[in-house]
Amino acid sequence: MKQQLEDNVSVHCDIDAEGHAHSCHVTQGHYMEFNQTALLYAERDIYHPALQNGKAVPSPDFRLHINFIIE
């Protein structure tokens, strides 16, 4: 915060049918601290899996975008 840094971080993951993320990696981001925070969040969050014919299915290549903004 002292440096007034902001960034947009993109994380790609595979989401399984239970809503858990796997194989997450940062695809965009300029600062290691923001990248690590976004990656940790993506790996620990529980998602609502996609539905196909009313059944939960995996979602490969899920993309999450997190904006770190100082207000």
Side-chain angles (χ1 to χ4, degrees):
M1 297 222 6
K2 290 179 186 178
Q3 295 176 330
Q4 299 290 306
L5 298 177
E6 297 183 346
D7 201 5
N8 301 313
V9 179
S10 295
V11 179
H12 289 195
C13 300
D14 295 330
I15 307 297
D16 65 23
E18 287 77 40
H20 298 99
H22 302 279
S23 304
C24 296
H25 60 280
V26 173
T27 58
Q28 176 185 332
H30 299 96
Y31 302 105
M32 183 174 52
E33 295 84 358
F34 292 148
N35 294 350
Q36 289 175 337
T37 299
L39 187 60
L40 187 61
Y41 175 82
E43 292 172 338
R44 290 187 178 179
D45 200 15
I46 304 296
Y47 301 89
H48 295 281
L51 298 177
Q52 187 173 37
N53 297 322
K55 289 191 166 196
V57 295
S59 297
D61 199 32
F62 173 78
R63 298 170 190 215
L64 176 66
H65 304 283
I66 300 175
N67 299 319
F68 292 90
I69 300 170
I70 296 174
E71 292 186 352

